[in-house]
Amino acid sequence: MKPAGFLCKIDKLGRIVIPKPLRSKYDLHTDDAIELFTEPDAIVIKKYAMSCIFCGNSENLKMIQNKPVCEDCLKQLKELS
Ligand SMILES: [Zn+2]
């Protein structure tokens, strides 16, 4: 992990502002979902991208029982039945 070159302060409600250059660089827009990850000494913010529960692919997803599954894995599941 390397420093992003910005220093932010947390407000009274625990919020931070992600500086515009970083939002642009990481394609973050108003109302985008972000996911928070933790490391022993850090919190990592990533843009949330729904992905296949089996292989992690994020394209051509279908929802099965409210879970995202890609077409390739769906094909493999059909072959099992
Ligand atoms: Zn898949």
Side-chain angles (χ1 to χ4, degrees):
M1 224 179 329
K2 63 181 184 179
F6 297 94
L7 191 59
C8 307
K9 286 194 173 183
I10 299 172
D11 76 8
K12 289 179 192 166
L13 299 176
R15 298 177 295 197
I16 60 165
V17 173
I18 300 171
K20 187 165 176 51
L22 290 180
R23 295 196 310 266
S24 297
K25 182 177 178 181
Y26 293 97
D27 194 32
L28 297 170
H29 303 281
T30 302
D31 292 332
D32 278 352
I34 56 165
E35 202 168 8
L36 301 177
F37 298 87
T38 59
E39 293 188 355
D41 62 346
I43 298 170
V44 177
I45 297 172
K46 282 189 174 184
K47 184 173 184 169
Y48 176 72
M50 193 184 295
S51 60
C52 174
I53 58 168
F54 295 109
C55 71
N57 183 357
S58 58
E59 292 178 10
N60 301 320
L61 299 173
K62 306 271 187 218
M63 296 304 287
I64 311 286
Q65 300 278 342
N66 257 351
K67 305 265 193 276
V69 179
C70 76
E71 283 185 357
D72 290 343
C73 290
L74 196 57
K75 229 182 262 177
Q76 289 181 43
L77 288 170
K78 283 179 181 168
E79 287 169 10
L80 293 174
S81 60

mmCIF file of all heavy atoms in Angstrom, residues 52-57 61 69-74, ligand 1:
data_model
loop_
_atom_site.group_PDB
_atom_site.id
_atom_site.type_symbol
_atom_site.label_atom_id
_atom_site.label_comp_id
_atom_site.label_asym_id
_atom_site.label_seq_id
_atom_site.Cartn_x
_atom_site.Cartn_y
_atom_site.Cartn_z
ATOM 1 N N CYS A 52 -19.547 -13.056 -9.433
ATOM 2 C CA CYS A 52 -20.016 -14.435 -9.341
ATOM 3 C C CYS A 52 -19.559 -15.056 -8.022
ATOM 4 O O CYS A 52 -18.389 -14.941 -7.652
ATOM 5 C CB CYS A 52 -19.466 -15.227 -10.528
ATOM 6 S SG CYS A 52 -19.838 -16.983 -10.449
ATOM 7 N N ILE A 53 -20.476 -15.710 -7.324
ATOM 8 C CA ILE A 53 -20.123 -16.306 -6.036
ATOM 9 C C ILE A 53 -19.171 -17.490 -6.190
ATOM 10 O O ILE A 53 -18.537 -17.897 -5.231
ATOM 11 C CB ILE A 53 -21.373 -16.745 -5.224
ATOM 12 C CG1 ILE A 53 -22.211 -17.758 -6.016
ATOM 13 C CG2 ILE A 53 -22.203 -15.553 -4.828
ATOM 14 C CD1 ILE A 53 -23.273 -18.440 -5.190
ATOM 15 N N PHE A 54 -19.066 -18.036 -7.411
ATOM 16 C CA PHE A 54 -18.187 -19.194 -7.612
ATOM 17 C C PHE A 54 -16.801 -18.794 -8.110
ATOM 18 O O PHE A 54 -15.800 -19.275 -7.596
ATOM 19 C CB PHE A 54 -18.814 -20.181 -8.602
ATOM 20 C CG PHE A 54 -20.083 -20.800 -8.082
ATOM 21 C CD1 PHE A 54 -21.311 -20.455 -8.617
ATOM 22 C CD2 PHE A 54 -20.050 -21.710 -7.040
ATOM 23 C CE1 PHE A 54 -22.475 -21.009 -8.132
ATOM 24 C CE2 PHE A 54 -21.216 -22.269 -6.534
ATOM 25 C CZ PHE A 54 -22.440 -21.922 -7.086
ATOM 26 N N CYS A 55 -16.734 -17.929 -9.137
ATOM 27 C CA CYS A 55 -15.425 -17.661 -9.753
ATOM 28 C C CYS A 55 -14.967 -16.200 -9.625
ATOM 29 O O CYS A 55 -13.833 -15.885 -9.961
ATOM 30 C CB CYS A 55 -15.448 -18.063 -11.229
ATOM 31 S SG CYS A 55 -16.443 -16.980 -12.255
ATOM 32 N N GLY A 56 -15.837 -15.309 -9.187
ATOM 33 C CA GLY A 56 -15.446 -13.918 -9.022
ATOM 34 C C GLY A 56 -15.597 -13.061 -10.271
ATOM 35 O O GLY A 56 -15.365 -11.857 -10.230
ATOM 36 N N ASN A 57 -16.004 -13.658 -11.387
ATOM 37 C CA ASN A 57 -16.232 -12.919 -12.636
ATOM 38 C C ASN A 57 -17.341 -11.882 -12.405
ATOM 39 O O ASN A 57 -18.305 -12.147 -11.704
ATOM 40 C CB ASN A 57 -16.642 -13.925 -13.723
ATOM 41 C CG ASN A 57 -16.835 -13.287 -15.084
ATOM 42 O OD1 ASN A 57 -16.724 -12.075 -15.244
ATOM 43 N ND2 ASN A 57 -17.130 -14.103 -16.064
ATOM 44 N N LEU A 61 -23.838 -11.561 -15.309
ATOM 45 C CA LEU A 61 -24.332 -12.181 -14.074
ATOM 46 C C LEU A 61 -25.837 -12.389 -14.117
ATOM 47 O O LEU A 61 -26.582 -11.557 -14.625
ATOM 48 C CB LEU A 61 -23.983 -11.306 -12.877
ATOM 49 C CG LEU A 61 -22.498 -11.068 -12.627
ATOM 50 C CD1 LEU A 61 -22.302 -10.053 -11.516
ATOM 51 C CD2 LEU A 61 -21.780 -12.364 -12.306
ATOM 52 N N VAL A 69 -24.449 -15.233 -10.165
ATOM 53 C CA VAL A 69 -23.735 -16.364 -10.780
ATOM 54 C C VAL A 69 -23.488 -16.000 -12.244
ATOM 55 O O VAL A 69 -24.399 -15.538 -12.933
ATOM 56 C CB VAL A 69 -24.566 -17.669 -10.692
ATOM 57 C CG1 VAL A 69 -23.829 -18.832 -11.344
ATOM 58 C CG2 VAL A 69 -24.888 -18.003 -9.239
ATOM 59 N N CYS A 70 -22.263 -16.200 -12.735
ATOM 60 C CA CYS A 70 -21.957 -15.846 -14.122
ATOM 61 C C CYS A 70 -22.466 -16.937 -15.071
ATOM 62 O O CYS A 70 -22.785 -18.053 -14.648
ATOM 63 C CB CYS A 70 -20.460 -15.601 -14.309
ATOM 64 S SG CYS A 70 -19.455 -17.090 -14.362
ATOM 65 N N GLU A 71 -22.537 -16.586 -16.356
ATOM 66 C CA GLU A 71 -23.083 -17.529 -17.346
ATOM 67 C C GLU A 71 -22.254 -18.810 -17.425
ATOM 68 O O GLU A 71 -22.804 -19.892 -17.586
ATOM 69 C CB GLU A 71 -23.165 -16.856 -18.723
ATOM 70 C CG GLU A 71 -24.338 -15.915 -18.823
ATOM 71 C CD GLU A 71 -24.517 -15.327 -20.212
ATOM 72 O OE1 GLU A 71 -23.691 -15.610 -21.106
ATOM 73 O OE2 GLU A 71 -25.483 -14.578 -20.395
ATOM 74 N N ASP A 72 -20.929 -18.697 -17.326
ATOM 75 C CA ASP A 72 -20.076 -19.892 -17.397
ATOM 76 C C ASP A 72 -20.366 -20.853 -16.242
ATOM 77 O O ASP A 72 -20.501 -22.060 -16.448
ATOM 78 C CB ASP A 72 -18.591 -19.512 -17.379
ATOM 79 C CG ASP A 72 -18.164 -18.821 -18.664
ATOM 80 O OD1 ASP A 72 -18.905 -18.913 -19.674
ATOM 81 O OD2 ASP A 72 -17.094 -18.174 -18.649
ATOM 82 N N CYS A 73 -20.451 -20.317 -15.042
ATOM 83 C CA CYS A 73 -20.730 -21.178 -13.886
ATOM 84 C C CYS A 73 -22.144 -21.726 -13.955
ATOM 85 O O CYS A 73 -22.387 -22.869 -13.571
ATOM 86 C CB CYS A 73 -20.500 -20.412 -12.586
ATOM 87 S SG CYS A 73 -18.752 -20.066 -12.275
ATOM 88 N N LEU A 74 -23.063 -20.895 -14.481
ATOM 89 C CA LEU A 74 -24.442 -21.349 -14.627
ATOM 90 C C LEU A 74 -24.497 -22.549 -15.577
ATOM 91 O O LEU A 74 -25.185 -23.544 -15.318
ATOM 92 C CB LEU A 74 -25.299 -20.202 -15.164
ATOM 93 C CG LEU A 74 -26.810 -20.347 -15.042
ATOM 94 C CD1 LEU A 74 -27.219 -20.573 -13.595
ATOM 95 C CD2 LEU A 74 -27.499 -19.115 -15.598
HETATM 96 ZN ZN ZN B 1 -18.658 -17.770 -12.249
#
